[in-house]
């Protein structure tokens, strides 16, 4: 995937500042283009990697401790992430991710699950795609088809502009494998 072109970002941020009637050379704004370029490089870091590369980076697994994995579901809840909406560059915030999977001989390190969620969110995204990307990466990294991802979050394109509905939250549920067909498994990943 592509690397961030910080010089181009600085040039265009300077142009945006001029376009909205600001003086990009005034105190307080003189270093803003550079700061925005560094910030975008950081918060959009996931853009530089494919889902496969993220699975490789954070795919540290351990032998599953149980003989019969079919009866075990691993659920990690309340992983905090944020992202930016690809439609408005608006912040998606107060996002909480729950990930569940059924191990097939291997379990992921818990911190790796959180890192996968974080990296998948660090792209210009849709909440629906974040869930799909996380499910794809977890499935590859843990070598299991049985994955579910539940995300709940606020979108500033809804809360601070447009309709300005400050209390709205969006929930998405992505299900793969047995989570698609077995309702009780789907319920395990949702908030209660």
């Amino acid at each position: 995937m592509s690397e961030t072109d910080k010089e181009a970002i600085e040039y265009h941020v300077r142009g945006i500042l001029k376009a909205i009637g600001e003086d990009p050379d005034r105190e307080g704004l003189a270093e803003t283009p550079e700061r925005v370029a560094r910030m975008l490089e950081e918060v959009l870091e996931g853009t530089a990697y494919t889902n496969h590369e993220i699975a490789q980076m954070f795919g540290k697994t351990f032998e599953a401790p149980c003989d019969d994995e079919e009866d075990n579901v691993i659920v990690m809840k309340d992983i905090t992430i944020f992202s930016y909406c690809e439609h408005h560059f608006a912040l998606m915030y107060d996002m909480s991710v729950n990930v569940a999977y059924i191990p097939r001989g291997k379990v992921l390190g818990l911190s790796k699950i959180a890192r996968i969620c974080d990296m998948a969110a660090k792209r210009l995204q849709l909440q629906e795609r974040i869930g799909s990307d996380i499910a794809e990466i977890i499935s590859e990294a843990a070598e299991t088809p049985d994955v579910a991802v539940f995300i709940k979050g606020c979108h500033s394109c809804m809360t601070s502009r447009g309709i300005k509905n400050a209390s709205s939250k969006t929930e998405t549920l992505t299900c793969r494998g047995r989570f698609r067909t077995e309702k009780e498994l789907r319920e395990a990943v949702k908030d209660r």
Side-chain angles (χ1 to χ4, degrees):
M1 299 200 100
S2 63
E3 254 185 62
T4 304
D5 183 344
K6 289 196 282 190
E7 286 183 19
I9 292 170
E10 290 175 32
Y11 173 81
H12 291 290
V13 168
R14 196 171 162 75
I16 290 169
L17 290 171
K18 286 181 185 177
I20 63 172
E22 279 286 357
D23 173 6
D25 295 318
R26 76 167 170 82
E27 186 179 349
L29 289 181
E31 295 175 19
T32 295
E34 183 183 339
R35 285 192 295 265
V36 170
R38 284 194 316 265
M39 185 263 310
L40 288 176
E41 182 178 48
E42 177 184 338
V43 301
L44 300 176
E45 179 185 5
T47 304
Y49 304 100
T50 65
N51 286 349
H52 172 71
E53 289 169 332
I54 295 170
Q56 296 294 306
M57 286 168 44
F58 302 120
K60 175 70 175 166
T61 59
F62 304 93
E63 186 177 325
C66 303
D67 292 334
D68 191 1
E69 300 96 17
E70 295 291 316
D71 292 334
N72 291 293
V73 177
I74 295 171
V75 182
M76 187 171 187
K77 291 189 173 188
D78 300 324
I79 302 165
T80 304
I81 62 168
F82 69 89
S83 192
Y84 288 87
C85 166
E86 66 184 30
H87 295 148
H88 303 99
F89 270 63
L91 183 64
M92 294 187 279
Y93 61 97
D94 286 343
M95 297 182 85
S96 179
V97 181
N98 298 346
V99 174
Y101 71 98
I102 299 171
R104 299 279 178 104
K106 296 179 178 185
V107 293
L108 282 168
L110 295 177
S111 70
K112 304 309 183 222
I113 296 170
R115 290 179 190 279
I116 287 167
C117 294
D118 180 63
M119 191 63 80
K122 286 184 172 178
R123 299 167 170 165
L124 290 175
Q125 277 284 28
L126 299 174
Q127 183 170 319
E128 299 87 340
R129 190 178 315 117
I130 295 171
S132 181
D133 286 349
I134 291 169
E136 180 181 318
I137 296 164
I138 295 286
S139 181
E140 180 180 339
E143 296 180 22
T144 180
D146 305 312
V147 180
V149 179
F150 176 77
I151 304 175
K152 184 178 196 175
C154 298
H155 296 236
S156 60
C157 57
M158 282 287 295
T159 62
S160 65
R161 61 156 304 277
I163 194 163
K164 297 179 185 163
N165 189 314
S167 63
S168 69
K169 293 191 182 340
T170 301
E171 295 182 358
T172 54
L173 177 62
T174 304
C175 297
R176 305 255 170 104
R178 288 178 54 196
F179 287 94
R180 273 193 178 154
T181 57
E182 298 179 36
K183 184 180 179 185
E184 63 277 2
L185 287 177
R186 284 194 302 278
E187 294 303 315
V189 75
K190 292 182 182 178
D191 283 338
R192 294 185 191 201

